[in-house]
Amino acid sequence: MNSQRQSPLYRSRLLQPGADRSPDTHPLTWRLRDDGQVVGLKEYESKEGYRAVSQVLNGHDPGAVIAAMKEANVRGRGGAGFSAGLKWSLTLQGDDIPRGYIVCNADEMEPGTFKDRLLMEQQPHLLIEGMILAAFANNARYGYIFLRGEYVESARVLTAALAEAREAGWLGPDIAGSSFDFDIALHTGAGRYICGEETALLNSLEGHRANPRAKPPFPGQSGAWGKPTVVNNVETLCNVPAVMLRGAEWYQGLSGDRTDDGGTKLYGASGLVNRPGLWELPIGTTGRELLELAGGLREGRKLKAWLPGGASTGFLLPEHLDLPLDFDTVGKEGSRLGTGLITVVTEDQSMVALMRNLEEFFARESCGWCTPCRDGLPWTVKLLLALERGEGEAGDVELLDKLAADCGPGLTFCAHAPGAAMPLQTALRHFRREFEQGVRYPRGKAHADPIPAGGV
Ligand SMILES: Cc1cc2nc3c(=O)[nH]c(=O)nc-3n(C[C@H](O)[C@H](O)[C@H](O)COP(=O)(O)O)c2cc1C
Ligand code: SF4
């Protein structure tokens, strides 16, 4: 048994053993075993596994799959929430168009996020089945799973599952007796956050430096090696088999009257909670419900703020705990649902130190292509460090406002910089006094050289 699997910390992140999960209510997790071991091919097949592939490849046309995905309103679980069905309907297809690729984005480097890992390590065949269905809908010939390099256990499990699926005829020529052929390769990345941005991912996959590409053309028109390519998140793809087996209406209904978004979501909680973990819940579940599932805050702590879905989302406050966590509602509050794994910040934690930590991450992970991101983020770190030490100078907080605004949407080549700006802007808005308290010197007296040579 793998040592990672035996670690109590790792086990605490699994879904709660014995929880009441059924195929009717938990499309992503009902097959998971309480002992945390991998659901292998035989067990997966005995639990409706690959049934959707058999039915769809032998009885449907690709347009029907796309229509079902649109009707179910499956929104991308990689963070942006773009409709998967709509994305698929824009992929170039036709007799004179070469067959392209399905790329599964398994880079999962967003701080505070560990949901795709659960799916890959314990239920790899669900992802493979979702990719086959996506390939059929988009006329793709090959698939790639672009996996975060540090996910060694995921790589081991996926490699074994791909071999099992190939051996059983679920991958390769004439899948399930149909005339459809498709195969998947696993590609492990070298561990950079920017490789999760879909076009940087494609450059990396092709063996180039992971700089984002200009859009348009979008990957659906010209993606990997210039062919039509669909990039979807692990969790998004894992939803496809259930949509095809049980129907779009059923999927839509899973969220009840909480929200217009359909289905369930792998939500999670981390930070100073009693029981960090993951739960498959109806989309539109509230932050308060998540906190309850996580056993509340650790003793004596009081909630100060929370990130709804990873480090690149904006801070929400305790007053937002009863909002449904769906893409549009969270967006209206000036944040993003992101990956849906909340991170709590308690009253005793310094917002300045926390922001310095996050911006160090974003500065380090910048690909260096655009000035506000390449130079602005290290500058932000320098200012935050000074404020954290109580050695800031007058004007530093206003300078942070400006640097964050310069990283806003549309001002840089990709969404990395806006993702770095959002937590900073919301922290400055809600907790400005904490930043101002770090000012000690008059302007020009503390740090004359604002841009650190060589970055941070
Ligand atoms: C800096 C950056 C990092 C990203 N990292 C990931 C990631 O690790 N996994 C992921 O699925 N999407 C990530 N995304 C979003 C992808 O660009 C893309 O929107 C997503 O893979 C599309 O899949 P979906 O529509 O199924 O969500 C990232 C975006 C940015 C800007
Ligand atoms: S915003 Fe940052 S990560 Fe994105 S392309 Fe520009 S420099 Fe690179």
Side-chain angles (χ1 to χ4, degrees), residues 236-259:
T236 312
L237 290 163
C238 285
N239 275 297
V240 189
V243 169
M244 296 317 297
L245 261 191
R246 293 189 154 69
E249 203 179 321
W250 162 82
Y251 186 83
Q252 255 294 319
L254 287 174
S255 53
D257 52 10
R258 289 168 177 262
T259 164

Side-chain angles (χ1 to χ4, degrees), residues 76-79 87 105 107-109 193-194 196-198 231-233 236 415-416:
R77 306 301 201 233
K87 184 188 280 189
N105 191 341
D107 199 51
E108 191 153 75
M109 262 189 79
Y193 181 64
I194 194 59
E197 196 282 335
E198 59 181 8
V231 183
N232 273 129
N233 171 257
T236 312
H416 176 80

Side-chain angles (χ1 to χ4, degrees), residues 194 211-212 365-371 373-374 412-418:
I194 194 59
N211 288 129
E365 296 298 329
S366 165
C367 83
W369 202 241
C370 338
T371 309
C373 181
R374 180 193 58 237
T412 56
F413 216 69
C414 86
H416 176 80

Side-chain angles (χ1 to χ4, degrees), residues 272 300-304 345-351 434:
L272 296 174
R301 315 267 174 169
K302 199 162 170 263
L303 185 67
K304 175 166 161 174
V345 184
T346 52
E347 285 287 0
D348 53 315
Q349 292 181 293
S350 156
M351 199 45 97
E434 275 191 54

